[in-house]
Amino acid sequence: MSPDTHIPTSARRAAMVRRLETDSGLADPRLREAFLSVRREVLLPHAYVRVSGPGADPIDWRLLDGSHPDDREEWLELIHSDESILLQRDGERLDTLVRGPVTGGNMTSMSTYGPATVEALQAMRLEPGQTYLELGPGPGVSLALAAAVTGPGLAAGVERDGHMAAFAQHNLDRLGLGTAVIQGDALEGHPADGMFDRIHSGIGVPCVPPAWVEQLAPGGRLLTTLATRTPSWPGQLLVTRTKTGRLQAVLTGRPRGYRPMLGYRWLNAIGHRARIKEDPGTSRPTRLAPPPDDAYGFWLAAAYLVSGVVRDFQAETMTLVAPEDDSWVVAGPGDGTVRVHGPRDVWAELEDVHARWERAGRPDRYVVDLAELAGPQVVTSGAWTPELAWTLPPLAAVPRQAP
């Protein structure tokens, strides 16, 4: 057994906090203390590790059991890393898992990537005495951290999966934080219809569920990922309600976001890789150089206005695929050309959106109109600019998980 196994978990948490301070901007002193005090080993007693390489189907996994001496060091290192911890396949029961190899299944619950947790909870501006609602808390890591700041009995979660709700509640009870996880449809908010000072969604949604906004108290803040059909360009939505009750909603492009709600299907470029390699397409000139990855405001607009397109980040040069239209574009290596294939000229659509983005002033954030929750939620680049505007897809368009 490695001597590192005997490092106290408190020392591991301290090392994790130092890393989050340096690399991820952890600065809130209350949140820092929460990271130091919340015992992750209680909330994350096991973890799946992927064994298969990219594109494998079915996927091979290995389940680490934190109570087993042969797994303990790897498990402790993993749960105190910045990685997302994979916990549940296909909604399985969590009290009968067996360590070791397993094949197949899709992950249905996991903890949040560490830096994203820091970013989200700091954006919440948590303070003692606030009421806090976590929608889709999974194993409850973010919920526990928030509860450690707000105080006992003030933080609650709504989790759709009954097995995960029971698992999280059992572990949270061991931490003594006075936090309740209720099984229910997170899209409908808290079933008791209370008002909350802070609402955080751990699931991506195509638009804002009305119940979430209705349960946001005056002076409150609501944070969620707006999911599009592509995982390439997520958006983060921050909704605030003023003391007088007026809503303000700002959508910002981000390098990462939360996974979408169950039943939501992302587009995938993997099935086209071999064909693209064999035939990248017909070369044509372009004045648009591949936009930089950190032009988040542009890529967010492209996610909506160049619909049905996903980027293959593993390709050597920028490659965008419209899998349902059997179309793709491969950007040239800085020589003023692109190669296009299929009935859609995806690059021409991108050129058009980029020109509109330029005319709109290269915005990196957008305003979402939530004045009529029952009506369409319209996104604009601030003051009304026809150059760059779109309507969010309705929530009803997303398949809902069966009870």
Side-chain angles (χ1 to χ4, degrees):
M1 184 180 297
S2 167
D4 290 343
T5 304
H6 300 294
I7 298 175
T9 53
S10 59
R12 293 177 186 270
R13 290 196 299 275
M16 177 186 67
V17 165
R18 288 192 295 271
R19 186 176 63 251
L20 291 172
E21 288 175 317
T22 301
D23 300 337
S24 303
L26 175 59
D28 184 313
R30 295 190 183 100
L31 188 57
R32 181 184 183 277
E33 288 304 311
F35 269 99
L36 287 171
S37 65
V38 170
R39 291 176 290 154
R40 300 171 70 85
E41 66 274 17
V42 173
L43 298 173
L44 306 169
H46 67 269
Y48 281 103
V49 177
R50 179 170 176 148
V51 177
S52 300
D57 187 17
I59 299 173
D60 290 328
W61 312 91
R62 184 164 54 90
L63 181 70
L64 301 177
D65 179 351
S67 65
H68 195 284
D70 291 343
D71 290 348
R72 187 167 177 79
E73 175 57 29
E74 183 180 359
W75 166 76
L76 283 171
E77 183 175 351
L78 180 61
I79 67 171
H80 290 93
S81 73
D82 292 340
E83 298 301 318
S84 181
I85 309 303
L86 310 178
L87 290 158
Q88 183 192 47
R89 294 179 310 135
D90 298 329
E92 66 191 343
R93 291 185 57 173
L94 298 162
D95 56 355
T96 58
L97 299 180
V98 179
R99 67 178 291 268
V102 64
T103 297
N106 296 299
M107 287 297 154
T108 49
S109 190
M110 60 195 68
S111 71
T112 302
Y113 172 64
T117 301
V118 171
E119 180 183 41
L121 292 182
Q122 289 195 151
M124 288 277 91
R125 299 181 184 175
L126 296 170
E127 295 181 7
Q130 291 174 338
T131 51
Y132 176 90
L133 177 62
E134 180 92 9
L135 300 160
V141 174
S142 296
L143 179 57
L145 292 167
V149 174
T150 62
L154 296 174
V158 178
E159 171 61 45
R160 168 170 282 190
D161 184 276
H163 299 312
M164 181 54 67
F167 174 82
Q169 185 67 70
H170 172 76
N171 295 331
L172 287 163
D173 286 345
R174 292 180 60 197
L175 295 180
L177 293 170
T179 303
V181 178
I182 299 169
Q183 182 184 359
D185 189 345
L187 299 180
E188 298 175 0
H190 197 284
D193 295 326
M195 300 290 282
F196 295 88
D197 300 309
R198 298 292 186 265
I199 300 176
H200 175 232
S201 168
I203 54 176
V205 288
C207 68
V208 188
W212 295 5
V213 180
E214 291 165 357
Q215 293 186 347
L216 186 63
R221 298 171 73 85
L222 184 162
L223 191 72
T224 187
T225 292
L226 284 192
T228 65
R229 294 196 64 205
T230 170
S232 308
W233 310 304
Q236 184 184 77
L237 182 70
L238 176 64
V239 182
T240 56
R241 189 186 292 278
T242 66
K243 294 291 186 181
T244 59
R246 188 166 67 91
L247 291 171
Q248 298 173 332
V250 177
L251 177 62
T252 308
R254 310 299 297 165
R256 57 183 174 266
Y258 295 135
R259 292 177 64 85
M261 54 192 287
L262 290 174
Y264 198 95
R265 293 292 177 260
W266 270 335
L267 297 170
N268 194 307
I270 294 175
H272 284 74
R273 281 178 180 164
R275 293 180 58 206
I276 294 172
K277 184 175 182 180
E278 180 180 338
D279 177 16
T282 303
S283 179
R284 74 160 178 84
T286 178
R287 293 183 178 180
L288 177 63
D293 292 347
D294 60 0
Y296 301 126
F298 165 70
W299 289 116
L300 178 60
Y304 290 97
L305 299 174
V306 185
S307 62
V309 172
V310 61
R311 179 171 172 185
D312 185 353
F313 280 98
Q314 308 229 345
E316 292 182 3
T317 61
M318 183 175 288
T319 300
L320 306 175
V321 183
E324 294 176 346
D325 298 303
D326 199 34
S327 301
W328 58 76
V329 59
V330 179
D335 61 355
T337 66
V338 293
R339 299 179 71 90
V340 295
H341 171 92
R344 282 182 67 180
D345 186 338
V346 173
W347 197 257
E349 297 178 41
L350 210 69
E351 289 172 323
D352 175 67
V353 171
H354 193 272
R356 293 161 63 187
W357 181 65
E358 292 274 4
R359 290 195 293 269
R362 301 170 64 91
D364 59 3
R365 59 184 57 201
Y366 302 88
V367 174
V368 184
D369 185 359
L370 298 179
E372 298 292 337
L373 287 176
Q377 298 176 11
V378 178
V379 183
T380 66
S381 54
W384 180 257
T385 52
E387 291 291 352
L388 210 56
W390 62 88
T391 300
L392 295 176
L395 193 64
V398 181
R400 304 284 289 271
Q401 182 192 21

